[in-house]
């Protein structure tokens, strides 16, 4: 038992801003004096409608989402999005092109193969996804219904250093692990989706931001819940949404706005990541296997080269109040996820620990 | 602004036990001294695994769920279950029989029609769903893959006074608005599902309790997230679940256990409902349109017979700290949802208000 909060480097669910948590806790039994907890609120009540409308408006403001895009809060996480994307967007040729940059991109493509003709146009699997392939307009099938990318790769610590040019083909991007960490020109995308449990809110919703003219093409035999049109036409309340996650997401959007918006978050994210990567690159114990220009600001992957030493690192870090530094169970090693809510002090504490560990284990 | 909590008669999301809310609030920034909020916890961490295992075990204990049933926590609410049921259980003849006792039963049947040969074997729509039809084994097609019922009808305030005998045909029941309010013989059902936002937890999960031998029949083209086997085989963590709702659900299961289990809840529910129905039946202003033996313990529907007066009632009740007494937008009138977490004091306050309103409006 401790009153001290840990620095939690989990890849997701992950840290939330402490002022948001404290405000949620203070309002938990009686939200702003309305007599109810948000956990108990009818999704059709005036109070919750205001929470939902504010959340959407604040997200629109901080991401500069144009009016011809719909914003939806949908349950089922990225996994359900992997199915919804093809079930809604395979609307003409039934073809879609995927770029494979990690485990989640692969899963997205595999799910899409259930429903259409899917082509892998590029993959970095040959080098354990340590880089982002260059793809150009000519790489895509001209009649593809959409192109799918995973902008940030949580497991392998990579991030696209460019947005692929797909011409007239709608570009779909999974931004689960980088949304709100960088300014994005939404108009370059047909659909952006992101599970909220990394950079936004407690798990249990995905945000979908979709160009209106792409909505409404799900076939009749698509399950109702998997039709974007149902969510868009009903303002995310066709059925009872995950009200609590939407509420906390809205509080985080407000917090980001108050902190100076996405550019301010990005500046801090760059400072945190640069400090950590610079330390790793200068170290004689630690090594980051990721191609420099493709490195993620959010997920910093590193290894000692000795799997037993990696395990020791993760265990001793946990004891030092630095949680969840193990790499994904599929690749091992270490991973420090430093999303927006991770303060600079957490990165400093991690580097101090790494120095001490290096000293003790050389 | 008020420090007073309201009596919230919402049909869902709805009241949670205050001791649970207060405990969640006290642990929100730092769960039991582990340094993290449950909202921030990796779903693969030891801490969350314990929360999930405890939640499942406590639900098994209070519902007497046999070992040959799997318990799953799935996102997407009842609406996604409406699709998952046929997509998983239409496994031989492709036929299923539905009993229509309200709006949600109708929606369940309509969704199933996308995927198979659905027969409506009985319906009480002819009398605005004011009663539960009697159905017998002979009413079902012998080769039906399953029979679907909605045990409690939230909008119309009805509840099955019996469990239909379906012989060897698996019985599927939506128990969203009555789960944990009465002892249920789970072995009579092939699948029980319930959105948690009425009697269990904040919105964003459905609990599914499914006989093992019925799992594993989804066709290959079913979206991965909609295959019960994926959830069953991975202990509800194939992908990131709605961790926070699972946590609060687990706290509510523990609370019910501590209070004496489902029989104790049922006893209190009967006392609350009897008191309210007795008052309504004796009143000269209010009328309950529901057939006496089919009345719900959870959702008490009543009208004055004058829609304008009904609206006045709902508005004045809200001002008197009695929230969400309006009937469903499809039928109007009044509805008092008195789930497990509504204390007797709430029912007493409602009856006092009804008396005063009757006095002022006769």
């Amino acid at each position: 038992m401790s009153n001290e909060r840990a620095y939690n480097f989990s890849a997701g669910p992950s840290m939330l801003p402490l002022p948001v948590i404290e405000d949620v806790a203070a309002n938990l039994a009686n939200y702003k004096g309305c007599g109810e907890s948000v956990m108990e609120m009818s999704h059709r009540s005036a109070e919750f409608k205001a929470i939902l409308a504010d959340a959407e408006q604040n997200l629109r403001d901080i991401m500069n989402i144009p009016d011809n895009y719909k914003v939806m809060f949908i349950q089922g996480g990225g996994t359900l999005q992997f199915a919804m994307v093809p079930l809604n967007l395979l609307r003409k040729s039934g073809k879609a092109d995927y770029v494979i940059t990690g485990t989640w991109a692969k899963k997205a493509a595999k799910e899409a193969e259930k429903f259409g003709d899917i082509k892998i146009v590029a993959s970095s699997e040959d080098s354990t996804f340590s880089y982002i392939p260059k793809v150009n307009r000519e790489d895509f099938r001209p009649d593809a219904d959409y192109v799918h990318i995973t902008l940030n790769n949580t497991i392998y610590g990579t991030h696209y250093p460019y947005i692929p040019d797909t011409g007239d083909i709608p570009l779909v991007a999974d931004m689960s692990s980088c949304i709100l960490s960088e300014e994005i020109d939404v108009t370059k995308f047909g659909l952006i989706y992101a599970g909220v449990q990394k950079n936004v809110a407690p798990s249990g919703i995905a945000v979908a931001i979709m160009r209106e003219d792409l909505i409404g093409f799900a076939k009749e035999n698509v399950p109702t819940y998997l039709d974007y049109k149902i969510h868009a036409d009903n303002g995310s309340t066709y059925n009872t949404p995950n009200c609590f996650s939407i509420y906390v997401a809205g509080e985080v959007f407000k917090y980001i706005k108050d902190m100076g918006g996405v550019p301010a978050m990005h500046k801090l994210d760059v400072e945190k990541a640069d400090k950590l990567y610079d330390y790793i690159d200068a170290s004689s114990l630690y090594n980051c296997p990721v191609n420099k220009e493709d490195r993620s600001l959010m997920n910093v992957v590193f290894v000692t080269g000795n799997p037993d030493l990696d395990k020791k690192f993760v265990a001793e870090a946990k004891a030092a109040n630095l949680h969840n530094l193990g790499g994904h169970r599929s690749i091992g090693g270490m991973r420090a996820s430093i999303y927006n809510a991770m303060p600079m002090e957490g990165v400093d504490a991690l580097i101090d620990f790494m120095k001490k560990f290096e000293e003790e284990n050389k």
Side-chain angles (χ1 to χ4, degrees), chain A:
Chain A
M1 290 281 295
S2 159
N3 290 322
E4 196 183 355
R5 273 176 54 85
Y7 293 118
N8 178 8
F9 294 91
S10 170
S14 42
M15 283 184 86
L16 293 168
L18 185 57
V20 169
I21 297 176
E22 287 173 340
D23 190 60
V24 170
N27 281 284
L28 202 66
N30 192 343
Y31 174 75
K32 294 186 177 176
C34 80
E36 303 174 17
S37 172
V38 177
M39 301 192 292
E40 305 170 307
M41 234 174 233
S42 168
H43 58 298
R44 313 245 175 244
S45 66
E47 290 83 1
F48 184 73
K49 279 182 186 165
I51 288 171
L52 178 57
D54 284 354
E56 176 176 338
Q57 190 56 53
N58 282 319
L59 182 62
R60 285 186 176 276
D61 291 348
I62 60 179
M63 284 189 72
N64 294 313
I65 300 172
D67 288 344
N68 65 323
Y69 283 72
K70 291 285 190 184
V71 171
M72 295 163 266
F73 301 101
I74 305 172
Q75 297 179 54
T79 298
L80 196 62
Q81 293 302 307
F82 295 167
M84 286 178 68
V85 167
L87 285 171
N88 285 267
L89 287 178
L90 289 174
R91 64 209 184 284
K92 293 176 191 164
S93 67
K95 299 178 186 174
D97 291 354
Y98 278 67
V99 183
I100 306 299
T101 51
T103 304
W104 301 112
K106 258 179 97 164
K107 284 203 180 188
K110 196 169 171 228
E111 185 75 10
E113 281 168 4
K114 291 185 175 205
F115 313 112
D117 169 2
I118 306 304
K119 184 182 173 190
I120 308 302
V121 292
S123 168
S124 51
E125 190 164 15
D126 57 342
S127 81
T128 324
F129 300 117
S130 64
Y131 70 98
I132 299 292
K134 299 279 177 292
V135 286
N136 301 301
R137 196 190 288 210
E138 308 76 60
D139 296 321
F140 307 115
R141 292 178 287 185
D143 62 342
D145 281 337
Y146 66 92
V147 170
H148 182 281
I149 63 168
T150 310
L151 197 63
N152 187 82
N153 296 279
T154 326
I155 295 177
Y156 301 94
T158 60
H159 180 279
Y160 277 76
Y162 69 103
I163 303 297
D165 175 9
T166 58
D168 290 337
I169 309 171
L171 179 59
V172 176
D174 178 355
M175 297 193 190
S176 294
S177 51
C178 61
I179 191 165
L180 303 181
S181 71
E182 60 190 314
E183 285 186 280
I184 288 289
D185 179 355
V186 173
T187 65
K188 287 188 173 169
F189 300 87
L191 169 60
I192 292 168
Y193 67 89
V196 296
Q197 72 273 17
K198 297 167 190 297
N199 224 354
V200 179
S203 59
I205 42 172
V207 174
I209 302 163
M210 193 168 186
R211 220 174 64 208
E212 276 175 348
D213 62 295
L214 296 172
I215 298 175
F217 295 98
K219 294 186 181 71
E220 286 208 346
N221 65 351
V222 167
T224 302
Y225 196 83
L226 276 63
D227 183 351
Y228 286 112
K229 189 170 162 54
I230 280 289
H231 299 279
D233 287 354
N234 293 281
S236 301
T237 53
Y238 170 73
N239 67 337
T240 315
N242 180 340
C243 298
F244 191 76
S245 283
I246 291 173
Y247 157 57
V248 180
E251 295 296 305
V252 170
F253 300 151
K254 259 186 271 183
Y255 173 82
I256 291 175
K257 210 172 187 179
D258 292 346
M259 295 291 286
V262 172
M265 290 292 122
H266 183 68
K267 185 166 172 289
L268 188 61
D269 290 332
V270 169
E271 285 169 15
K272 289 186 293 181
D274 280 355
K275 196 185 263 192
L276 188 50
Y277 283 122
D278 286 350
Y279 169 71
I280 292 168
D281 288 340
S283 146
S284 53
L285 178 62
Y286 310 104
N287 176 45
C288 171
V290 178
N291 190 30
K292 277 197 180 180
E293 71 172 355
D294 302 333
R295 286 177 176 178
S296 168
L297 293 179
M298 300 282 100
N299 312 98
V300 178
V301 167
F302 57 99
V303 293
T304 65
N306 174 348
D308 290 334
L309 199 57
D310 290 351
K311 275 183 198 143
K312 191 179 171 205
F313 180 99
V314 173
E316 291 186 6
K318 169 117 200 211
N321 223 25
L322 306 168
H323 290 191
N324 295 308
L325 279 160
H328 189 267
R329 56 208 160 115
S330 61
I331 58 164
M334 276 81 75
R335 172 178 50 177
S337 295
I338 48 173
Y339 298 114
N340 285 351
M342 173 63 68
M344 182 60 88
E345 291 73 20
V347 173
D348 289 338
L350 172 58
I351 292 174
D352 287 346
F353 174 83
M354 290 172 79
K355 285 179 184 165
K356 182 168 156 282
F357 186 84
E358 180 167 359
E359 197 58 37
E360 291 167 358
N361 292 279
K362 57 179 173 186

